[in-house]
Amino acid sequence: MAQTLPLRSAARSTARVRHLPPVLAVVAVVALLALPAAGDGEGGAHPADAASGVVVLYCALRLVRDRRRPLTRTAAVVLGLPVLGLALAAMGAVSPGAGLTGLGRYLQVFVLVPAAVLLLVRGRDDVRLLAWSMVGLAVWQGAVGVRQYVTGTGASYQGEQVRAVGTFGPQDVMGMATVVSLGLVCAVGLALGHAPARRRVLAAGCAIALLLPLALSFSRGAWIATAVTCAAQLLLAGARRALAVGAAVVAAGVVLVGGFGVGTAMLQERVGSITQVADSPDQSVTDRYTMWAAAAGMWRERPLTGVGLKGFPEHRDSHASLALSSGSETDGAGAGYRRQPLLSPHNMYLLILAEQGLIGLLALAGSWLALLVLGLRGLRTVRRSGAGSGTDCALVACGLLVWQLTDFAYADIGGPSTVLTAVCFGLAAWWALGGGTGSGAGSEAESESGAGTEAGTGTGSGSETGAGSRSRTGFGTGAEEVPAR
């Protein structure tokens, strides 16, 4: 009898572990981004990168165990479309090593991790959990960034160490801006949904609080992408709500900048530099447009297939004008002075065009456009149904995708925060291809599995997501599965 008690206890513990939602594996990837990046500035894989690989492996093992079709035909085509251009660009790389490295990175960000997120998210509660984890990460990184500004321990900006970079260090000045922006987008989406008032107020408070660290990041691209995305979310949520929230944001901005004078002079100079292109632009703007011109020159040289993955640095000098500087200077935030080479055009679309040509750009952009169209169609269906229970998930998923597609006009992939980009594409894919009511994948999956929709014959206990949506993501309701929360 004494021996059976420990066995039963172990069995209960194993059962509890099996009943944990699979999305916690993705939440762990988000949480690991709170860890400081390597302080030597030499790059290398961040723990979140390694964890994303584990998530893909974990997802694959679950698929093998459950013996279920992983993706619908629509999802497989949309997520697998970029592989064609990537394979051609990898074969045209300057070296086999560069081709394999670039291929692995692109597959991680735009194919494998998004597919794993799509398969591991089982319902809208999982989306909300993942969105709140991104908000929490943004609040943490934002708090570190504000402290850096106040104490003068941030990255160097105009000779002062005041630029908020969070735990990412001066070599990845866009890292904290990306995390804070995505967390703010999630908070806005959650606040505009139909959750209990307490949660919506908390989300709105987090969104307003994140405006300060976003401003102190001095990241023009992140400002533009966030403004465009939040405006789109407000309009998608309804004109009346857009006016009310817009007025609150303007009031908060007036209080922060006008009342307390938060970074007034530097922020005004940074905002003014956004449109200061022809009339004495700063060196960073000159470098950006010079590299854009170099990327366009590479594309004109090889319009269909590009110069190959990881080929931009090799061909940059032969296509760039003399206006391009030798590199960007970084200092502060716990690291010494460094001069970093300019290895990308800081425009994802031009980078793809230069390295992968028209074939690669059409494949990747076509996949992203399909996700956006299907996601917006799902949002429209949810709003027309009058239920509104999934509006927050739709606004979060569509908002994250809109932010990424806007930010890609001013940035490209690179650094630890790129893992968060992959998670965003996964959430967008879940809404568009797996969980969006009325999406194209939804009707197809229903006919294949014979299961009902979220309003149909699901077996969830009080959940918005029934067996139908779980079967669409490849995980059924076997003996080891639990109903969606």
Side-chain angles (χ1 to χ4, degrees):
M1 184 66 179
Q3 295 179 351
T4 59
L5 291 177
L7 292 176
R8 291 178 180 176
S9 177
R12 291 194 204 97
S13 300
T14 303
R16 291 193 189 98
V17 171
R18 288 179 177 177
H19 290 170
L20 290 175
V23 75
L24 288 180
V26 187
V27 172
V29 174
V30 176
L32 286 174
L33 285 172
L35 298 177
D40 54 6
E42 297 296 333
H46 191 275
D49 281 302
S52 69
V54 174
V55 167
V56 173
L57 179 60
Y58 167 65
C59 180
L61 292 176
R62 287 183 63 92
L63 291 174
V64 171
R65 186 198 67 181
D66 293 343
R67 297 180 181 179
R68 290 184 175 270
R69 180 178 178 179
L71 297 172
T72 65
R73 286 190 297 270
T74 303
V77 170
V78 172
L79 292 179
L81 187 61
V83 177
L84 173 63
L86 292 174
L88 291 175
M91 290 188 292
V94 293
S95 67
L100 289 176
T101 302
L103 179 63
R105 187 60 162 169
Y106 274 96
L107 289 178
Q108 173 204 15
V109 177
F110 299 117
V111 179
L112 297 178
V113 175
V117 174
L118 164 64
L119 295 168
L120 293 176
V121 172
R122 300 183 302 175
R124 293 173 178 173
D125 283 345
D126 287 355
V127 174
R128 295 179 183 112
L129 175 62
L130 195 50
W132 276 113
S133 70
M134 294 174 67
V135 173
L137 174 65
V139 170
W140 161 249
Q141 291 288 355
V144 175
V146 171
R147 180 181 180 275
Q148 290 170 337
Y149 176 85
V150 172
T151 60
T153 56
S156 178
Y157 179 76
Q158 293 186 349
E160 300 181 47
Q161 295 186 354
V162 294
R163 187 169 189 175
V165 294
T167 64
F168 294 97
Q171 286 77 31
D172 185 16
V173 294
M174 288 295 298
M176 190 211 76
T178 298
V179 169
V180 170
S181 298
L182 295 176
L184 195 153
V185 169
C186 288
V188 170
L190 293 168
L192 295 176
H194 293 270
R198 184 180 303 175
R199 295 182 187 176
R200 287 188 281 115
V201 170
L202 177 61
C206 291
I208 294 175
L210 289 173
L211 291 174
L212 178 58
L214 178 60
L216 298 181
S217 70
F218 297 104
S219 174
R220 294 166 293 197
W223 292 347
I224 295 172
T226 304
V228 170
T229 303
C230 291
Q233 287 177 304
L234 290 171
L235 291 175
L236 290 172
R240 182 181 302 176
R241 186 174 294 182
L243 290 175
V245 177
V249 171
V250 171
V254 170
V255 171
L256 288 175
V257 178
F260 295 104
V262 177
T264 304
M266 289 185 176
L267 287 176
Q268 288 179 350
E269 185 275 335
R270 194 65 167 171
V271 171
S273 67
I274 293 176
T275 57
Q276 193 178 17
V277 178
D279 183 19
S280 301
D282 60 35
Q283 187 60 46
S284 64
V285 174
T286 300
D287 287 341
R288 186 180 298 267
Y289 282 92
T290 302
M291 290 189 293
W292 287 7
M298 296 177 201
W299 167 68
R300 285 192 294 268
E301 185 178 294
R302 300 181 187 178
L304 287 181
T305 58
V307 298
L309 295 181
K310 298 287 185 178
F312 182 86
E314 298 292 332
H315 296 80
R316 179 199 61 195
D317 293 339
S318 61
H319 293 85
S321 68
L322 296 177
L324 183 66
S325 65
S326 59
S328 61
E329 299 176 341
T330 63
D331 194 7
Y337 173 84
R338 290 179 59 87
R339 192 167 187 84
Q340 294 192 131
L342 303 174
L343 303 179
S344 70
H346 297 292
N347 182 303
M348 192 66 199
Y349 304 108
L350 289 176
L351 177 63
I352 296 171
L353 196 62
E355 295 187 345
Q356 303 178 42
L358 279 175
I359 296 177
L361 181 63
L362 290 176
L364 272 166
S367 174
W368 301 339
L369 181 61
L371 291 178
L372 182 61
V373 171
L374 291 174
L376 292 176
R377 190 169 72 174
L379 171 59
R380 183 183 63 179
T381 301
V382 169
R383 290 197 61 193
R384 284 184 175 181
S385 67
S389 58
T391 305
D392 55 346
C393 298
L395 291 173
V396 167
C398 294
L400 292 175
L401 182 58
V402 170
W403 191 93
Q404 291 292 344
L405 298 184
T406 306
D407 185 66
F408 279 166
Y410 306 92
D412 45 49
I413 58 175
S417 60
T418 301
V419 176
L420 209 57
T421 299
V423 174
C424 292
F425 276 102
L427 279 174
W430 178 85
W431 177 257
L433 303 170
T437 303
S439 66
S443 58
E444 175 188 352
E446 290 162 14
S447 62
E448 290 175 355
S449 64
T453 61
E454 291 167 353
T457 58
T459 59
S461 56
S463 170
E464 297 168 352
T465 307
S469 62
R470 287 200 300 276
S471 64
R472 285 199 294 270
T473 57
F475 300 135
T477 56
E480 295 179 349
E481 294 289 342
V482 296
R485 292 169 289 108

